[in-house]
Amino acid sequence: MFEKVYMIMGCTELLLLMILIGKYIYFERFFGHLRLWCVYLVLFLLFEILLCFYDKEGLVQIALSFAFFSALIFLTRKSKKIRGLFIVIPIAGMIFSFVIIPVSLLFLFSESMNSIIDHSTAWLWIYDVIFWIGFYLFFWKVKNRLDELLMNRTLSNWERTLINMTGFFLFIFTMLLVCVDDFKITSFYARCFAGSGIFIIAFLEASIIAMVIQGNGKVYFQQAAVLNEHYLKVQLEHFKTYQETQRETRRVYHDMKNHISCLHNLILQGRYEETGNYLMDLNTQIQNINKELYTGNDIVDAIINEKLSNALKDQISISIDGKLGYLPVDPIDLCTIFSNAADNGIEALRDSLISDKMLEIQFKRQGEMQWIMFRNQVKRRGPALISVTTKGDCINHGFGLGNIRMAVEKYKGHMEYRLENEGDLQYFVLEILLFVHNTT
């Protein structure tokens, strides 16, 4: 019975490893809802339990892990579904090659590769312990931030080709190492082959990880360049709006003497109704001059008002509560925080059927702590999503959250986002806390 349970656990580990590699090496877009993941994994475990009573050698159970992973790719891919199934082989090569390293090390000091594999159950439990500890730490410390940073990351054609070729090579090379006893070569050359294989596998595995990390860095700098361009654009738009406001102010001021004279004559003639209408028209002109939102920070004013001009086209308004004032924060970081946060809220409101579309922005400051909140109503999608704080909530939030977090943590700050209820309404809330020392 223990062997059957251990086999089911091993097949589950294999499936989870394939999913992690598919998501964070190949950047496949799998299920976005926790409920779908639960159904998927429960079905897998049920089939594994059923097979353990009929498959004594465990080969079918291992094959089931590959079958379920292939089904996951086929169901979640929007295009090139059949081609996507072929990544199972390079992913299997990455996993098997990692497992074969300690086997090859033991082979250097033993007589036979087959004997090591036959007695592998005596030490493979170490892999299980390492896997579950790493899996727990990954979900506890790394997953959410990594999902935010890599949300829009995709592989280029040359990256995908290189990873596929490396994975295929690792798969074939691993099979050769496993079958080294079947080669008609001397023990010395077999050990040389196994020893060189350890270095080759380690080098190729490290190369894949390094290439993915380098690609992530490239995407980050591309996004930074886009933010720089966007920052300059909103500054230019802000100055144009400011010039237009000053022009309108000067025009009204220039005509103010004439307005006062005209009002004085109307009052002397007792034409009070016309005087009231004249005052209402004049008030309308003055109100139209000042259409901007003011936060007390010139850079943030430029960003928010640029967003407001686009949001008004979709009947979306923005409200400001409190004053931000001066912040010892780099302009690019301010642009990163406010541009992405405003875009998230406006995007969610634009795609919703809510009648009162309002993005609320609040500021509070106490000493060296600056609190910023973005809040907008979302369409209620059921109580299951109340506690969801990832892209799986399907409320169009998430784009740029990784960049916001990086900018916030640069100033030792903190960021969190959640769904909250207020009566019959549901809101998406993004809260940011910055520690803004003058020496930052």
Side-chain angles (χ1 to χ4, degrees):
M1 185 63 184
F2 176 77
E3 292 181 356
K4 293 179 180 180
V5 174
Y6 187 77
M7 189 66 187
I8 293 173
M9 186 182 70
C11 293
T12 304
E13 293 173 4
L14 176 61
L15 177 64
L16 293 176
L17 276 173
M18 288 190 289
I19 292 172
L20 291 175
I21 294 175
K23 184 174 178 63
Y24 297 105
I25 298 294
Y26 280 90
F27 304 107
E28 293 288 327
R29 302 290 187 262
F30 294 140
F31 297 132
H33 292 275
L34 181 61
R35 186 180 301 173
L36 291 175
W37 278 114
C38 291
V39 172
Y40 174 79
L41 293 175
V42 168
L43 284 175
F44 171 76
L45 290 174
L46 287 175
F47 276 99
E48 282 286 343
I49 293 171
L50 290 174
L51 284 176
C52 74
F53 294 102
Y54 301 99
D55 181 28
K56 295 183 179 180
E57 296 184 357
L59 297 178
V60 179
Q61 288 181 264
I62 296 174
L64 184 66
S65 301
F66 290 97
F68 260 75
F69 181 68
S70 300
L72 178 64
I73 294 175
F74 188 83
L75 292 173
T76 53
R77 272 206 168 197
K78 294 182 179 180
S79 61
K80 301 178 182 178
K81 294 177 178 288
I82 303 299
R83 185 186 301 180
L85 299 179
F86 288 96
I87 70 171
V88 174
I89 298 176
I91 289 177
M94 297 176 200
I95 296 173
F96 293 158
S97 63
F98 181 73
V99 176
I100 203 67
I101 290 178
V103 177
S104 300
L105 283 171
L106 291 174
F107 175 68
L108 297 178
F109 306 98
S110 63
E111 296 295 330
S112 168
M113 178 69 76
N114 291 330
S115 63
I116 297 172
I117 295 174
D118 292 339
H119 296 86
S120 60
T121 53
W123 53 267
L124 272 180
W125 61 269
I126 299 175
Y127 266 117
D128 300 319
V129 173
I130 294 173
F131 172 82
W132 289 112
I133 292 175
F135 190 76
Y136 172 76
L137 292 175
F138 174 79
F139 269 81
W140 182 35
K141 292 288 188 179
V142 180
K143 181 182 180 299
N144 285 341
R145 295 187 181 185
L146 198 60
D147 286 342
E148 293 168 2
L149 291 174
L150 305 180
M151 190 164 293
N152 300 287
R153 174 80 159 94
T154 56
L155 291 176
S156 62
N157 289 332
W158 74 268
E159 286 177 322
R160 184 173 295 275
T161 300
L162 189 57
I163 291 176
N164 283 334
M165 291 176 62
T166 305
F168 274 108
F169 176 81
L170 288 172
F171 182 82
I172 295 172
F173 196 75
T174 301
M175 295 301 103
L176 292 175
L177 284 173
V178 171
C179 301
V180 69
D181 287 344
D182 299 329
F183 301 156
K184 295 181 179 180
I185 57 177
T186 62
S187 177
F188 172 76
Y189 289 112
R191 285 173 173 75
C192 289
F193 178 68
S196 61
I198 294 171
F199 291 103
I200 292 172
I201 290 172
F203 174 77
L204 292 178
E205 293 274 9
S207 298
I208 292 175
I209 296 173
M211 184 176 66
V212 172
I213 293 174
Q214 184 182 21
N216 297 341
K218 178 182 176 182
V219 170
Y220 169 77
F221 287 114
Q222 287 176 341
Q223 292 176 346
V226 171
L227 281 172
N228 279 322
E229 182 180 356
H230 180 70
Y231 169 66
L232 294 174
K233 177 184 175 183
V234 297
Q235 282 286 70
L236 179 61
E237 292 295 327
H238 178 63
F239 290 138
K240 287 182 178 179
T241 303
Y242 178 77
Q243 287 179 335
E244 183 65 27
T245 301
Q246 291 299 308
R247 190 179 298 112
E248 289 294 319
T249 302
R250 287 194 298 269
R251 183 182 64 81
V252 174
Y253 178 77
H254 181 268
D255 294 336
M256 191 58 67
K257 291 182 180 180
N258 295 330
H259 292 313
I260 293 173
S261 177
C262 184
L263 287 168
H264 179 71
N265 291 331
L266 288 173
I267 292 172
L268 290 177
Q269 297 173 17
R271 297 159 65 180
Y272 301 114
E273 183 177 352
E274 293 182 37
T275 302
N277 293 334
Y278 195 103
L279 285 170
M280 292 298 295
D281 292 339
L282 184 60
N283 181 65
T284 300
Q285 292 184 36
I286 296 174
Q287 290 294 328
N288 288 335
I289 293 175
N290 187 12
K291 293 182 179 179
E292 288 194 337
L293 295 171
Y294 291 97
T295 67
N297 185 291
D298 292 339
I299 297 171
V300 176
D301 287 345
I303 297 167
I304 295 300
N305 283 288
E306 189 264 345
K307 300 299 180 185
L308 176 63
S309 63
N310 293 324
L312 290 174
K313 299 175 184 177
D314 297 299
Q315 289 77 50
I316 300 172
S317 56
I318 300 177
S319 69
I320 301 292
D321 183 11
K323 291 296 180 182
L324 184 62
Y326 169 76
L327 287 178
V329 177
D330 289 340
I332 298 302
D333 293 325
L334 284 176
C335 188
T336 299
I337 294 170
F338 284 90
S339 292
N340 285 298
D343 283 339
N344 282 346
I346 293 170
E347 177 94 16
L349 291 167
R350 181 184 294 119
D351 295 338
S352 69
L353 300 177
I354 299 168
S355 57
D356 185 16
K357 299 182 178 183
M358 169 75 74
L359 172 62
E360 304 172 32
I361 305 176
Q362 297 182 23
F363 305 110
K364 290 181 182 179
R365 189 162 184 172
Q366 184 173 0
E368 295 179 337
M369 293 187 297
Q370 175 67 59
W371 179 78
I372 305 168
M373 185 188 76
F374 296 84
R375 183 174 183 259
N376 62 272
Q377 186 182 344
V378 296
K379 184 178 179 181
R380 182 180 291 276
R381 294 172 181 265
L385 295 176
I386 299 296
S387 61
V388 176
T389 58
T390 66
K391 188 68 173 180
D393 58 16
C394 294
I395 309 176
N396 296 312
H397 287 282
F399 179 77
L401 284 175
N403 291 335
I404 295 175
R405 188 184 296 278
M406 291 176 65
V408 169
E409 292 182 349
K410 181 178 177 181
Y411 300 90
K412 310 300 181 184
H414 176 71
M415 182 198 90
E416 66 177 31
Y417 50 100
R418 65 183 183 277
L419 288 173
E420 65 178 24
N421 294 323
E422 188 176 296
D424 296 331
L425 303 177
Q426 194 171 63
Y427 292 86
F428 181 91
V429 179
L430 170 65
E431 289 185 321
I432 296 169
L433 185 65
L434 293 174
F435 293 90
V436 284
H437 304 278
N438 290 330
T439 56
T440 301

